[in-house]
Amino acid sequence: MKTIDAGVLTVGYLDDGPGDGWPVLLSHGFPYDVHAYDEVVPRLTARGARVVRPYLRGFGPTRFRSAGTARSGQQAALGSDLVALLDALRWETAIVAGYDWGGLASCVATALWPERIAGLVSMASYDILDIDRLRHAHDPALEHVIWYQHLFQTERGRECLAASRRDLCRMLWRQWSPSWRPDEATFARSAASFDNPDFVDVVVHAYRHSFGLASGDPAYEDLEKRLAGRPPITVPAVTLDGTQDPLKPGGTADHAEMFTARHEHRAVEVGHNLPQEAPAAFADAILTVREWLRAAERT
């Protein structure tokens, strides 16, 4: 594990593969961490990739550099963190890939800074939040699934997450991946990341902001306005759905119009934690984008 100063964070990250390999940035979700990609990474490094897996803000060893920085979990902050990390690593461009918060961050970075992103792999397709839409109700069946988001709108929810973070997060793992049964050691390896001192603040703010019930960090106000305009994804992209993912009933194939460059959508017979449940499928999506980029370079 390494650390690097990147924007407002000192980011903890894992760095695998040759130093001069083609760059890939893998971003994890909530409530997971970098170990979601443990079986994806060897498939990429064997093909010459240099793979960096950062712990997102509020997770693992990643820390805010200043006590005065807002512990924001809003989408513009997550996307900005990825671009700041590219700068710190001195990567001009990279393939970015992620799911859940990591997919959100990857889509935000791609939409706002397409010149920095060579290609994208995103679970749940165009995963940028439509906050105006999220101010209003969904079908009751989906509202039932996102019970944790409703819980986090209250101080009672903050208290629950702070006091029982492992039990709550283990419950989400089980509900979101109904046919995946990781052993306790697998969960514990990732759950250690939830002990970050900023975990509760960042998570609670993320879901309150996404519901339109908490103000964002003023530093990201202009970026949030741009995201509200639903900017398209203009780089080559493979998008993925888990057919057993209760958070995305019916899948996201209908997001295709948001992708203006080469794009392919795939469905995989797994739940929400796709890279850990189906690492070969996730790695293959990244390798597909890599081959598209190489083919474009040859023409």
Side-chain angles (χ1 to χ4, degrees):
M1 199 275 291
K2 301 178 180 179
T3 61
I4 192 169
D5 289 343
V8 300
L9 302 174
T10 297
V11 178
Y13 67 102
L14 303 185
D15 190 347
D16 294 280
D20 60 352
W22 49 279
V24 180
L25 191 60
L26 299 180
S27 298
H28 65 83
F30 164 84
Y32 308 98
D33 82 337
V34 297
H35 294 295
Y37 294 107
D38 282 353
E39 295 184 46
V40 174
V41 170
R43 291 171 163 88
L44 301 178
T45 57
R47 300 284 292 274
R50 179 184 173 191
V51 184
V52 166
R53 289 177 279 168
Y55 290 85
L56 300 188
R57 55 171 58 201
F59 290 79
T62 291
R63 296 291 187 272
F64 288 87
R65 296 172 64 187
S66 170
T69 301
R71 270 42 177 176
S72 169
Q74 68 194 93
Q75 59 182 349
L78 298 176
S80 297
D81 291 346
L82 293 194
V83 176
L85 181 56
L86 292 179
D87 290 341
L89 293 169
R90 299 184 180 180
W91 282 359
E92 185 175 344
T93 62
I95 293 174
V96 296
Y99 73 109
D100 196 89
W101 285 25
L104 168 64
S106 298
C107 285
V108 167
T110 303
L112 295 181
W113 295 277
E115 72 280 1
R116 303 300 305 277
I117 310 301
L120 169 71
V121 171
S122 171
M123 184 177 173
S125 296
Y126 187 83
D127 207 23
I128 295 172
L129 299 176
D130 185 346
I131 294 176
D132 283 343
R133 171 66 186 88
L134 289 174
R135 296 174 189 270
H136 303 284
H138 287 283
D139 182 272
L142 183 57
E143 297 288 357
H144 172 73
V145 172
I146 61 171
W147 60 268
Y148 64 101
Q149 297 186 25
H150 294 290
L151 179 65
F152 295 157
Q153 304 308 312
T154 68
E155 288 307 296
R156 177 173 176 162
R158 179 192 292 274
E159 181 181 337
C160 181
L161 182 63
S164 305
R165 66 193 72 187
R166 277 173 167 73
D167 289 341
L168 190 153
C169 294
R170 186 187 289 105
M171 186 180 299
L172 295 179
W173 277 39
R174 291 170 178 165
Q175 292 180 355
W176 295 351
S177 299
S179 64
W180 183 52
R181 291 292 179 267
D183 58 27
E184 185 59 29
T186 298
F187 175 76
R189 188 161 50 247
S190 290
S193 291
F194 312 155
D195 293 331
N196 183 298
D198 300 307
F199 177 77
V200 173
D201 286 343
V202 170
V203 169
V204 168
H205 182 264
Y207 291 108
R208 293 183 182 181
H209 184 269
S210 70
F211 274 25
L213 298 177
S215 299
D217 184 337
Y220 303 111
E221 183 175 357
D222 289 343
L223 296 179
E224 291 290 352
K225 289 179 180 178
R226 291 174 59 191
L227 293 171
R230 312 295 285 163
I233 300 294
T234 59
V235 307
V238 172
T239 57
L240 302 165
D241 277 322
T243 60
Q244 302 169 21
D245 182 0
L247 294 174
K248 301 295 178 181
T252 59
D254 60 347
H255 294 189
E257 66 182 13
M258 301 304 296
F259 297 85
T260 62
R262 189 169 183 177
H263 171 238
E264 181 180 318
H265 184 73
R266 302 173 179 178
V268 185
E269 293 289 331
V270 295
H272 187 67
N273 187 7
L274 197 152
Q276 206 157 3
E277 296 178 63
F282 201 90
D284 185 68
I286 295 169
L287 293 170
T288 296
V289 171
R290 167 65 174 168
E291 288 306 310
W292 289 352
L293 297 172
R294 294 182 65 192
E297 291 171 358
R298 292 193 293 266
T299 60

